[in-house]
Amino acid sequence: MSELPSRPRLRVQRRARPGEVIELRALIDHPMETGIRTGGGPAPARDMLESLVVTMNGAPLVEVAFRNGASPNPFHVFHAQVEQDSLFRFTWTDEAGRSASVEARVGVG
Amino acid sequence: MRVRRRLFLLTCLALPASALAADDALQAAIRQAIGDRAPQEGGIAFTAPRVAENGAQVPVTISVESAMAGDDRILAIHLFATANPTPGITSIRLHPGVGRAEVQTRIRLAQGQRVLALAEHADGRVLSAAVEIGVTSGGCLA
């Protein structure tokens, strides 16, 4: 699977108490070009992300399916309850199968 | 009042075929997300600007009433545009470990319109909320 030319960013606090609900803020630069122009002008080629998969310690936490109404440079905020040291991994995949990932670790205790 | 209502009826009848087709597409997208279940209003706080300056980047927060524990869980949140060229915005599936039934994201609106949020509860219910969002400059689709 090839790499997306996008730079994903993930903001998560470094430490948390057991049972704490923490915020995960993620942003990726991507044009999210639908290729739709209803005005009759020339339409650029479609270039869309298809999914964002978030895992916590390898288990699926959140799965996002993108449709045409999703913004360029997709931004998300989710909340996770952490019980132990946790590794979060965000992976975006586009409709051509290219992907980009970013990770963050939270120390719990 | 009576006259106004009649005017409203006339407006409905005069809707162009394309608007009806868009409504069909919306209904099909909703069916695809939640099947034949009938959504019930309430249980969702849907926060969005009343008027968005840039239709390409409209911030929204969907917060569903749920403990996100035991059987009281929200499994998925779906967003639909009622007046974009296509109705789908996003579907977000929440798995165990999600600590709050709340997501924040940004959506793209071609024009001012009603945006619909549906939330699937683990008990099978589907909750719904809708907000009207005005748009000063459309989201690059028109």
Side-chain angles (χ1 to χ4, degrees):
Chain A
M1 205 190 299
S2 61
E3 288 273 311
L4 271 172
S6 303
R7 195 166 54 90
R9 274 149 289 176
L10 176 56
R11 213 171 83 195
V12 182
Q13 67 197 56
R14 289 273 182 83
R15 300 208 59 80
R17 294 181 307 280
E20 190 176 342
V21 174
I22 63 168
E23 196 177 71
L24 317 169
R25 304 173 73 86
L27 180 68
I28 187 168
D29 55 305
H30 192 281
M32 294 299 276
E33 175 53 63
T34 61
I36 298 172
R37 291 294 183 279
T38 54
R46 184 174 173 89
D47 180 11
M48 289 284 287
L49 290 173
E50 188 170 72
S51 67
L52 160 61
V53 174
V54 183
T55 61
M56 178 167 67
N57 300 323
L61 184 73
V62 176
E63 290 169 283
V64 177
F66 294 102
R67 315 271 186 236
N68 288 345
S71 283
N73 304 327
F75 168 75
H76 290 95
V77 181
F78 306 120
H79 299 84
Q81 185 162 24
V82 289
E83 304 291 352
Q84 58 191 38
D85 288 357
S86 295
L87 174 69
F88 293 95
R89 186 178 176 86
F90 281 59
T91 304
W92 291 260
T93 305
D94 76 0
E95 292 179 347
R98 298 182 301 170
S99 66
S101 291
V102 62
E103 289 182 351
R105 209 172 277 279
V106 180
V108 177
Chain B
M1 198 59 210
R2 189 175 289 261
V3 174
R4 256 192 213 157
R5 188 168 302 160
R6 213 163 282 158
L7 269 175
F8 175 67
L9 272 175
L10 277 174
T11 315
C12 287
L13 289 172
L15 273 176
S18 64
L20 292 175
D23 196 50
D24 280 352
L26 175 64
Q27 291 311 319
I30 292 171
R31 293 281 79 86
Q32 199 187 356
I34 62 161
D36 288 331
R37 288 177 284 174
Q40 55 188 78
E41 246 177 86
I44 302 178
F46 189 167
T47 313
R50 224 154 47 84
V51 177
E53 212 142 280
N54 177 6
Q57 294 280 345
V58 184
V60 295
T61 302
I62 295 90
S63 184
V64 191
E65 280 172 25
S66 164
M68 289 307 267
D71 295 334
D72 182 10
R73 308 192 63 84
I74 299 301
L75 303 180
I77 294 171
H78 309 277
L79 295 180
F80 302 96
T82 59
N84 269 3
T86 59
I89 297 177
T90 190
S91 286
I92 302 174
R93 204 148 281 283
L94 309 178
H95 295 284
V98 171
R100 198 176 298 162
E102 179 184 310
V103 297
Q104 236 183 90
T105 189
R106 294 181 193 143
I107 66 173
R108 168 160 49 195
L109 301 177
Q111 62 188 75
Q113 59 187 280
R114 208 167 57 90
V115 176
L116 176 67
L118 299 179
E120 294 181 63
H121 194 283
D123 67 10
R125 284 178 303 143
V126 178
L127 310 174
S128 84
V131 291
E132 189 73 38
I133 304 176
V135 169
T136 313
S137 105
C140 200
L141 289 164

